[in-house]
Amino acid sequence: QVQLVESGGGSVQAGGSLRLSCARSGYTGSSLCMGWFRQAPGKKREEVAYVYTTGGSAYYVDSVKGRFTISQDNAKNTVYLQMNSLKPEDSAMYYCAARRGRSSDCDSGFWPRTDYWGQGTRVTVSS
């Protein structure tokens, strides 16, 4: 059974940084598209960033480009989201997700479904 476990959330002031981690276990396939999503209270869940486990270009939603960086350590089966220059509007529950699929879809930001979700980690940015 695949498990995704997020960590690293917390409270910071605007302009600060946090690094989220997503540890993956139980997957025996060859590759995955790993993603970070977020959901603020009263709002729909939205995409943040994706990366393919075997390499390729990372995808970012426009609102985080230049501030967030998605990366991975395949030896640890862990994906990270480095978040810099945080803004109050970045406050949300952040979820790690994974799906099987093509690297080209992952690179281009195409996410038709989610196969696995983590439980989420909360990020609060104060002004």
Side-chain angles (χ1 to χ4, degrees):
Q1 184 173 352
V2 175
Q3 284 193 316
L4 303 176
V5 179
E6 301 98 330
S7 60
S11 297
V12 294
Q13 291 191 325
S17 298
L18 283 173
R19 189 178 80 156
L20 307 183
S21 299
C22 171
R24 182 177 71 250
S25 62
Y27 184 68
T28 58
S30 59
S31 55
L32 288 167
C33 183
M34 299 297 300
W36 286 99
F37 292 76
R38 64 186 181 185
Q39 188 169 19
K43 295 189 176 182
K44 292 175 58 176
R45 189 173 297 187
E46 64 173 357
E47 59 193 12
V48 176
Y50 309 150
V51 69
Y52 205 66
T53 54
T54 52
S57 302
Y59 166 82
Y60 299 94
V61 69
D62 286 347
S63 59
V64 307
K65 283 181 181 177
R67 300 188 299 122
F68 290 12
T69 302
I70 189 170
S71 62
Q72 58 188 333
D73 183 338
N74 285 332
K76 297 181 179 179
N77 290 333
T78 300
V79 174
Y80 304 98
L81 186 68
Q82 178 67 43
M83 305 185 294
N84 298 328
S85 302
L86 281 162
K87 304 176 182 180
E89 52 263 42
D90 294 318
S91 296
M93 185 71 82
Y94 282 71
Y95 297 91
C96 180
R99 68 169 185 83
R100 297 178 297 274
R102 299 180 299 183
S103 61
S104 57
D105 289 344
C106 195
D107 295 352
S108 64
F110 181 58
W111 191 281
R113 70 178 191 284
T114 300
D115 294 318
Y116 313 106
W117 283 106
Q119 83 288 351
T121 185
R122 185 168 299 279
V123 172
T124 303
V125 184
S126 58
S127 57

